[in-house]
Amino acid sequence: MLDRLHLCVITDVRLAGGRDHVAIAEAALAGGADMIQLRDKTGNLRDLLPQARAIRARCRAHGAVFIVNDRVDLALAADADGAHVGQEDLPAVSARLLLGPERLLGVSTHDPGQAEAAQRAGADYIGFGPMFATGTKDTGYAARGLDAIREIRKVVALPILAIGGITLENVAAVIAAGATAPAVISAVVKAADITAAAAAFRQRVTAAKARG
Ligand code: TZP
Ligand code: MG
């Protein structure tokens, strides 16, 4: 099912001009996002839990996947479809143990070694990036570029969500290089019309996949 993903929108309220996580998710789903990742580095869990539950309900209504970034506990409490961990979060093996076999586990990776390790640890998909320059997160890694996606595609069979600096202009090349789908923050969340931005991404990804 993850093999058929088209667009993951990551909610980041700091960039969203006052719109909250639920509003971002709702608008992105209306535009055709088929995965929503709740990402909040500062909010407290007591506040985030009802928002996570609300997003979960909206994702189910749209047949979209709901993932919680960083916090496996919040993912479980909200009955999310899964959680996404980075290289400085819970190790993937521990996250898998906590999530159980059914829920989805995504792991952020930056090179082929991390991608292979994520696959061995039981990840269902990997994030890979930063693809291009991004002001949204200081990842500590240089932009990886399109050739890096081709290298990752050779070493893992998992779906690859490419992340970092992905725009309407470069998303088709990212898919052509072997990514399954883009994971996008600013190009969607900063848009005045989130639904229109998500719909434009969805259309470009669909066209790029059709070209094979
Ligand atoms: N991980 C790697 S790059 C990145 C994250 C969370 C930020 C992506 O944001 P944007 O605005 O789509 O470049
Ligand atoms: Mg993280």
Side-chain angles (χ1 to χ4, degrees):
M1 153 264 272
L2 293 177
D3 280 324
R4 292 196 299 273
L5 276 181
H6 293 80
L7 173 64
C8 173
V9 171
I10 301 177
T11 67
D12 187 327
V13 290
R14 295 166 312 170
L15 300 175
R19 295 168 289 194
D20 67 11
H21 290 292
V22 180
I24 297 167
E26 210 160 40
L29 289 165
D34 44 12
M35 179 186 276
I36 299 291
Q37 184 193 115
L38 170 62
R39 179 175 189 264
D40 194 312
K41 302 283 184 186
T42 56
N44 69 57
L45 290 173
R46 206 54 84 84
D47 290 338
L48 289 171
L49 180 57
Q51 298 179 68
R53 287 188 170 137
I55 296 172
R56 185 207 64 159
R58 284 161 178 78
C59 282
R60 295 242 163 119
H62 280 85
V65 178
F66 175 44
I67 299 289
V68 174
N69 186 49
D70 293 344
R71 302 298 306 241
V72 175
D73 51 358
L74 180 59
L76 290 170
D79 191 23
D81 295 307
H84 185 102
V85 294
Q87 296 292 324
E88 289 161 7
D89 299 315
L90 273 182
V93 167
S94 304
R96 169 55 72 208
L97 277 173
L98 291 169
L99 288 168
E102 303 300 332
R103 280 185 221 272
L104 300 172
L105 174 62
V107 179
S108 293
T109 67
H110 313 280
D111 60 42
Q114 291 177 358
E116 284 179 299
Q119 183 162 269
R120 278 197 306 276
D124 293 293
Y125 72 92
I126 58 165
F128 180 76
M131 286 302 304
F132 308 110
T134 174
T136 306
K137 177 180 177 178
D138 182 4
T139 64
Y141 293 88
R144 314 274 89 173
L146 295 171
D147 284 343
I149 285 277
R150 296 186 187 98
E151 293 307 310
I152 296 295
R153 189 71 288 168
K154 286 182 200 156
V155 299
V156 296
L158 297 175
I160 302 170
L161 296 198
I163 186 164
I166 298 186
T167 63
L168 280 177
E169 287 66 44
N170 61 33
V171 69
V174 168
I175 298 298
T180 307
V184 180
I185 302 181
S186 52
V188 168
V189 163
K190 272 189 183 172
D193 185 340
I194 288 175
T195 299
F201 266 99
R202 174 91 192 208
Q203 190 269 327
R204 295 234 174 156
V205 170
T206 300
K209 283 178 185 268
R211 286 194 292 273

